[in-house]
């Protein structure tokens, strides 16, 4: 496999499509072959373009979000940014070429479904809603692991909200998420991610850890419970300053 400077492909002020296409061929990973294979970049980008055209044609209101994003193709695998597809806080829409080739099987309908999923996170304003549930001040005296766990737990519930909405709106069928290893449960239809978090967040996080060969011990549970308990007080408009000071004190005590 030849080496390229990944960072150099992200120096464009706009989409890096032209830069990526100049590479001609890239090495993408084929999990069935357990090896890297060379593929033409233009062929992979065309699959993405076809998916975007379908969204523009059938869901123009959502396609408008794409026009506000900077389309960034990732030519290496694994990548420190994402190995799949993701939207970041700066409205970069990242698409890993290996993901399009290998996971999506060069199928524009699959790319369309994942693209729709990512844009729904923007459409549902998940970043702002996350910050309301988990204010930055909650993690001021905590280690990075505490934030990571809270963020993972929230992201799981956000994915359930998005995917249930996509099925309910007839955008994709439930088996789409089976093919793509996505998170979908019919019983979460009509629920916000905050409601899913409150009722099922602990169980979903435990299940996610189990799928990844991990377990959640009593200390981790205690930390997450303390964060959620504090958030209810800190975000309650009827809480006075004494209640908020007590909540912060108890949270710091648990984290310590």
């Amino acid at each position: 496999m030849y080496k390229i400077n990944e960072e150099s492909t992200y120096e464009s002020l706009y989409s890096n499509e032209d830069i990526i296409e100049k590479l001609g061929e890239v090495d993408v990973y084929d999990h069935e072959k357990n090896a890297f294979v060379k593929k033409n970049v233009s062929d992979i980008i065309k699959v993405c373009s076809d998916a975007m055209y379908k969204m523009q044609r059938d869901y123009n209101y959502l396609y408008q979000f794409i026009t506000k994003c900077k389309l960034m193709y990732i030519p290496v695998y694994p990548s420190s940014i994402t190995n799949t597809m993701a939207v970041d806080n700066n409205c970069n829409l990242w698409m890993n070429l290996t993901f399009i080739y290998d996971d999506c099987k060069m199928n524009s309908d699959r790319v369309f479904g994942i693209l729709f999923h990512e844009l729904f996170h923007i459409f549902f304003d998940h970043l702002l809603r996350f910050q309301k549930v988990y204010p930055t001040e909650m993690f001021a005296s905590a280690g990075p692991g505490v934030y990571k766990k809270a963020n993972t737990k929230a992201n799981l519930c956000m994915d359930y909200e998005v995917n249930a909405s996509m099925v309910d709106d007839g955008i994709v069928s439930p088996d789409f998420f089976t093919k793509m290893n996505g998170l979908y449960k019919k019983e979460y239809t009509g629920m916000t991610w905050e409601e899913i978090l409150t009722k099922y967040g602990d169980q979903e996080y435990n299940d996610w850890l189990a799928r990844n060969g991990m377990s959640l011990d009593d200390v981790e549970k205690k930390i997450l419970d303390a964060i959620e308990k504090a958030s209810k007080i800190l975000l309650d408009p009827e809480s006075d300053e004494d209640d908020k000071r007590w909540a912060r004190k108890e949270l710091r005590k648990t984290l310590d």
Side-chain angles (χ1 to χ4, degrees):
M1 182 182 74
Y2 64 84
K3 300 289 185 180
I4 63 173
N5 180 356
E6 179 178 5
E7 297 302 324
S8 69
T9 65
Y10 308 143
E11 293 173 356
S12 171
L13 294 176
Y14 305 100
S15 169
N16 69 344
E17 180 176 331
D18 290 342
I19 296 173
I20 296 299
E21 285 195 322
K22 287 179 181 178
L23 296 175
E25 288 185 331
V26 293
D27 291 316
V28 293
Y29 191 73
D30 189 315
H31 283 85
E32 288 186 5
K33 296 180 180 178
N34 194 28
F36 284 91
V37 296
K38 289 190 181 296
K39 290 296 175 182
N40 188 289
V41 173
S42 296
D43 292 340
I44 301 176
I45 290 180
K46 184 179 184 305
V47 175
C48 298
S49 298
D50 289 346
M52 292 178 198
Y53 171 74
K54 179 179 179 180
M55 181 170 288
Q56 181 181 25
R57 182 192 64 198
D58 299 340
Y59 299 95
N60 190 257
Y61 74 95
L62 192 62
Y63 178 76
Q64 299 309 309
F65 286 91
I66 293 183
T67 64
K68 294 176 173 55
C69 289
K70 180 179 174 183
L71 304 182
M72 300 298 288
Y73 294 93
I74 300 175
V76 301
Y77 180 90
S79 166
S80 59
I81 298 175
T82 181
N83 292 326
T84 56
M85 191 183 295
V87 177
D88 65 22
N89 298 345
N90 297 315
C91 283
N92 291 308
L93 175 57
W94 299 97
M95 292 175 281
N96 195 297
L97 298 181
T98 284
F99 179 70
I100 306 303
Y101 164 78
D102 194 52
D103 298 80
C104 294
K105 309 300 182 187
M106 296 290 283
N107 184 309
S108 62
D109 286 338
R110 290 193 176 194
V111 176
F112 165 82
I114 300 299
L115 186 65
F116 212 113
H117 170 97
E118 293 301 331
L119 291 180
F120 250 36
H121 282 300
I122 299 177
F123 189 66
F124 285 169
D125 210 1
H126 277 165
L127 176 61
L128 179 61
R129 288 164 62 186
F130 173 84
Q131 292 172 342
K132 288 182 177 179
V133 175
Y134 294 116
T136 304
E137 63 189 63
M138 285 188 178
F139 307 100
S141 60
V146 176
Y147 173 82
K148 183 177 180 180
K149 290 166 188 173
N151 187 58
T152 299
K153 190 175 177 182
N155 284 337
L156 292 170
C157 297
M158 289 174 182
D159 280 354
Y160 275 120
E161 179 188 17
V162 166
N163 295 346
S165 297
M166 289 175 63
V167 172
D168 192 45
D169 291 344
I171 297 165
V172 295
S173 61
D175 69 337
F176 172 80
F177 297 108
T178 301
K179 295 176 183 176
M180 298 303 298
N181 295 317
L183 300 174
Y184 170 73
K185 288 185 179 179
K186 185 178 181 180
E187 57 266 36
Y188 292 162
T189 302
M191 295 179 66
T192 65
W193 79 264
E194 294 92 339
E195 292 171 334
I196 299 171
L197 179 72
T198 299
K199 295 180 180 179
Y200 307 107
D202 287 338
Q203 184 58 54
E204 291 298 345
Y205 186 59
N206 283 331
D207 291 346
W208 176 82
L209 287 171
R211 289 195 297 272
N212 288 276
M214 297 177 284
S215 63
L216 185 64
D217 61 26
D218 293 337
V219 174
E220 292 171 326
K221 286 183 179 179
K222 188 175 181 180
I223 289 173
L224 290 173
D225 289 342
I227 291 173
E228 291 182 359
K229 184 177 180 180
S231 69
K232 291 178 182 178
I233 296 174
L234 293 173
L235 298 175
D236 187 348
E238 296 183 6
S239 296
D240 58 27
E241 284 304 313
D242 286 337
D243 289 334
K244 291 181 179 179
R245 276 194 293 271
W246 178 87
R248 294 188 189 100
K249 181 180 178 180
E250 290 300 304
L251 179 57
R252 288 196 192 98
K253 186 188 300 183
T254 301
L255 294 176
D256 290 340

